[in-house]
């Protein structure tokens, strides 16, 4: 199957192929006959490897769409950053060169700043609390809010809690982070968070972190168990502190330009398939968290649990981030806190 740019709309007619919106294939002059089937091939960009739970969620979503359209819409999942690093892919989705992506809301917030309210430090008091927020009114509003920036928010995926790891020393208190060079996602909020703790924030694409850790360009980074494990960062940064500073939802988005070209019926199939992939992704997530933790612990990494005093200290150090929020974002934070 050949593709044209972002969205290949193909008329498949008994042996001949005509590109709608592109050039007709000159090889076969035969006019389309009645059994013409329009096939749409779309691309989804994913940073993680094929067996990572977000990629499994993407693939499940793609399969549902293909099944529910009898093969008329095919979504190809390009995992392992084949289409580029997160920020670059988001830009391409915004102008319609890539059709879908699954990303962390951290880098997406650079395009749709309202999302920052959902990734504030120590915002949720449990994973269940976060899911009640995401599956409720606030989650729906936030999905809808990315439309202004050129995206169609389709679904939230699980991503656990992010914690610090480094190659220099165990971190048992905020003071232990002092001066460490910590890689962060390309997100202003994350830069502020690391700086508030006295460390040096270094924004960098995900794919560059392993070699930066290995060569000592950075001392550490922060992520959840699955990413710490699947990227092999745990092999080059052995100290992992379970401070769980943020729970950052993953989000599946479509390009608004691309969605607007589809029929209302197809848009609805896509939206529903995305929603129907959430539980599957969450199940895969939980399994992979357990597996990651087991492997990393077995490898002999030094895992630090914070004392309640140290947790309080981390929370206090991050208060300036809340003080810096706009009234609008603070209103969202307050609504999140009120969700029982
Ligand atoms: C992971 C997330 C990725 C990416 C990565 C990072 O947890 O799933 O989408 O944002 O973190 O730190 O860059």
């Amino acid at each position: 199957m050949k593709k044209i740019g972002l969205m290949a709309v193909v008329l498949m007619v008994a042996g001949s192929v005509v590109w709608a919106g592109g050039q007709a294939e000159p090889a076969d002059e035969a006019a389309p006959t009645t059994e013409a089937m329009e096939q749409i091939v779309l691309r989804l960009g994913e940073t993680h490897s094929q067996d990572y739970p977000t990629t499994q969620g993407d693939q499940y979503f793609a399969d549902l769409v293909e099944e529910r359209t009898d093969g008329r819409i095919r979504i190809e999942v390009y995992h392992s950053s084949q289409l580029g690093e997160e920020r670059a892919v988001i830009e391409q989705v915004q102008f319609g060169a890539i059709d879908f992506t699954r990303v962390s809301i951290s880098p997406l917030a650079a395009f749709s700043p309202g999302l920052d309210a959902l990734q504030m430090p120590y915002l949720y008091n449990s994973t269940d609390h976060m899911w009640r927020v995401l599956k409720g009114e606030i989650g729906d509003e936030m999905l809808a809010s990315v439309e202004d920036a050129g995206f169609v928010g389709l679904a939230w995926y699980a991503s656990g809690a992010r914690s610090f790891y480094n190659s220099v020393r165990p971190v048992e208190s905020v003071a232990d982070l002092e001066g460490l060079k910590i890689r962060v996602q390309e997100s202003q909020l994350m830069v502020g968070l690391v700086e508030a703790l006295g460390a040096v924030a270094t924004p960098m694409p995900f794919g560059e972190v392993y070699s930066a850790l290995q060569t000592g360009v950075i001392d550490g980074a922060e992520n959840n168990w699955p990413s710490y494990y699947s990227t092999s960062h745990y092999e080059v940064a052995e100290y992992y502190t379970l401070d769980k500073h943020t729970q950052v939802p993953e989000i599946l988005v479509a390009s608004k330009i691309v969605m607007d070209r589809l029929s209302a019926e197809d848009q609805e199939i896509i939206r529903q398939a995305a929603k129907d992939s959430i539980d599957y992704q969450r199940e895969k997530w939980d399994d992979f968290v357990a597996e990651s933790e087991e492997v990393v612990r077995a490898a002999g990494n030094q895992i630090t649990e914070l004392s309640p005093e140290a947790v309080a200290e981390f929370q206090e150090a991050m208060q300036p981030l809340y003080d810096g929020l706009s009234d609008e974002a603070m209103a969202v934070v307050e609504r999140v806190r009120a969700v029982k």
Side-chain angles (χ1 to χ4, degrees), residues 33 49 63-64 93-94 150-152 154 167 174 194 206 246 253 274 338:
T33 56
S49 58
D63 291 346
L64 285 181
V93 170
Q94 195 179 37
F151 308 99
V152 176
L154 296 174
S167 60
V174 172
V194 164
F206 194 42
T246 49
V253 295

Side-chain angles (χ1 to χ4, degrees), residues 19-258:
W19 307 96
Q23 281 173 317
E25 289 264 294
D28 192 332
E29 300 292 318
T33 56
T34 43
E35 286 108 90
M37 182 183 88
E38 186 187 273
Q39 187 178 37
I40 302 173
V41 181
L42 302 168
R43 299 187 304 163
L44 187 158
E46 164 66 66
T47 198
H48 290 295
S49 58
Q50 193 164 16
D51 55 358
Y52 196 87
T54 52
T55 317
Q56 289 175 306
D58 304 335
Q59 190 58 56
Y60 190 86
F61 156 67
D63 291 346
L64 285 181
V65 171
E66 187 160 350
E67 196 182 297
R68 292 174 185 178
T69 59
D70 294 321
R72 202 169 37 77
I73 301 184
R74 209 168 100 214
I75 300 174
E76 297 178 338
V77 177
Y78 291 84
H79 54 82
S80 312
S81 299
Q82 291 170 75
L83 302 182
E85 293 283 353
E86 243 165 32
R87 194 186 157 93
V89 169
I90 293 170
E91 275 166 9
Q92 294 194 66
V93 170
Q94 195 179 37
F95 61 79
I98 295 175
D99 310 301
F100 299 92
T101 189
R102 188 293 315 158
V103 289
S104 159
I105 66 165
S106 277
L108 191 60
F111 301 78
S112 189
L115 289 174
D116 270 340
L118 293 188
Q119 60 156 340
M120 293 301 287
Y122 299 109
L123 174 63
Y124 309 102
N125 48 40
S126 66
T127 302
D128 282 352
H129 176 212
M130 183 184 82
W131 277 104
R132 282 196 295 277
V133 171
L134 297 179
K135 289 205 155 175
E137 214 174 68
I138 304 174
D140 288 348
E141 280 172 30
M142 284 292 182
L143 279 183
S145 74
V146 299
E147 208 154 319
D148 294 345
F151 308 99
V152 176
L154 296 174
W156 304 108
Y157 279 172
S159 69
R162 298 180 78 99
S163 291
F164 289 105
Y165 48 84
N166 79 90
S167 60
V168 179
R169 55 178 174 254
V171 169
E172 287 166 3
S173 64
V174 172
D176 292 331
L177 278 169
E178 180 77 40
L180 290 184
K181 267 187 132 179
I182 303 290
R183 175 270 173 176
V184 290
Q185 292 155 294
E186 289 165 280
S187 149
Q188 265 317 109
L189 188 109
M190 288 308 301
V191 169
L193 186 149
V194 164
E195 286 175 350
L197 294 165
V200 181
T202 311
M204 182 185 287
F206 194 42
E208 293 173 18
V209 181
Y210 182 87
S211 65
L213 283 168
Q214 200 179 31
T215 54
V217 168
I218 51 171
D219 299 315
E222 45 82 58
N223 225 312
N224 46 47
W225 279 109
S227 283
Y228 181 47
Y229 165 52
S230 73
T231 52
S232 296
H233 293 175
Y234 77 102
E235 290 171 6
V236 282
E238 66 170 304
Y239 303 106
Y240 192 34
T241 294
L242 303 178
D243 61 283
K244 302 181 184 166
H245 48 266
T246 49
Q247 290 196 65
V248 183
E250 311 279 17
I251 188 171
L252 182 61
V253 295
S255 168
K256 180 155 163 42
I257 295 177
V258 172

Side-chain angles (χ1 to χ4, degrees), residues 269-312:
I269 290 173
I270 287 171
R271 284 178 188 276
Q272 194 55 47
K275 295 228 171 331
D276 293 345
S277 68
I278 298 174
D279 288 351
Y280 177 83
Q281 192 273 341
R282 288 182 66 186
E283 231 173 80
K284 294 285 164 197
W285 179 262
D286 290 344
D287 293 349
F288 199 56
V289 169
E291 181 186 330
S292 309
E293 179 167 355
E294 199 180 306
V295 177
V296 171
R297 286 190 189 274
N301 284 41
Q302 195 166 322
I303 314 299
T304 304
E305 299 272 356
L306 287 183
S307 66
E309 294 74 34
V311 173

